[in-house]
Amino acid sequence: MQNKNDRLKEQILRSSGVDPRKCMRCGKCSGTCPSYDEMEYHPHQFVYMVENGDIETLMKSQSIYKCLSCFACVDRCPRSVEPAKIIEAVRLAVIRQQNGDRMTTNDIPSKLDPDMPQQALMSALRKYSK
């Protein structure tokens, strides 16, 4: 039976689609990050911590909310590791742990807005119904 950290790691790797083992820890992602000074953990550290299964520490960190999702780290990575996708997956894991990510088809009528594109609603339904 897997422990909690192994399950969280598997969930994050599956939802991000990133292979952290490709990271060679060059730090180019962190050197490019516009939020570097504001973050407790930096993009290359996120990748390393996920690889080592230190997920709960990341989930408690404010660094996941300091990330601007600008994908500068993704552009700079010579190995296409995509740290921003890992950070986004950790954020999603926090939401899921708080049970704030459930949406059913019965929720749709209350969410309808004439200015909202239909794609946004369908995207939310797909993302939050898992």
Side-chain angles (χ1 to χ4, degrees):
M1 178 152 182
Q2 291 181 323
N3 68 25
K4 184 178 180 180
N5 275 340
D6 288 341
R7 285 191 306 269
L8 282 171
K9 178 181 176 181
E10 183 180 321
Q11 175 187 351
I12 287 167
L13 294 179
R14 191 174 354 102
S15 66
S16 70
V18 173
D19 181 3
R21 295 173 296 173
K22 293 185 343 185
C23 180
M24 60 185 183
R25 293 169 192 51
C26 66
K28 286 184 179 182
C29 57
S30 294
T32 264
C33 180
S35 298
Y36 182 89
D37 293 333
E38 304 295 321
M39 298 174 90
E40 177 183 4
Y41 301 109
H42 306 107
H44 74 281
Q45 292 172 313
F46 267 88
V47 174
Y48 183 71
M49 291 171 82
V50 167
E51 182 181 351
N52 290 330
D54 196 7
I55 310 298
E56 288 196 31
T57 304
L58 292 176
M59 291 175 76
K60 293 175 186 172
S61 170
Q62 289 298 307
S63 294
I64 61 175
Y65 305 108
K66 304 283 181 169
C67 173
L68 302 173
S69 298
C70 66
F71 285 77
C73 56
V74 172
D75 288 338
R76 287 287 291 157
C77 182
R79 305 282 307 263
S80 301
V81 175
E82 303 177 311
K85 288 185 178 181
I86 289 179
I87 295 170
E88 191 174 288
V90 172
R91 274 190 218 142
L92 187 58
V94 170
I95 292 168
R96 283 185 172 155
Q97 217 175 43
Q98 297 168 346
N99 288 326
D101 68 333
R102 301 293 185 248
M103 185 178 199
T104 66
T105 52
N106 294 333
D107 297 331
I108 292 175
S110 66
K111 306 288 185 205
L112 290 177
D113 180 351
D115 296 327
M116 181 185 297
Q118 291 178 355
Q119 293 91 341
L121 192 59
M122 290 310 298
S123 175
L125 179 64
R126 287 184 186 126
K127 184 174 185 178
Y128 296 119
S129 64
K130 296 179 182 176

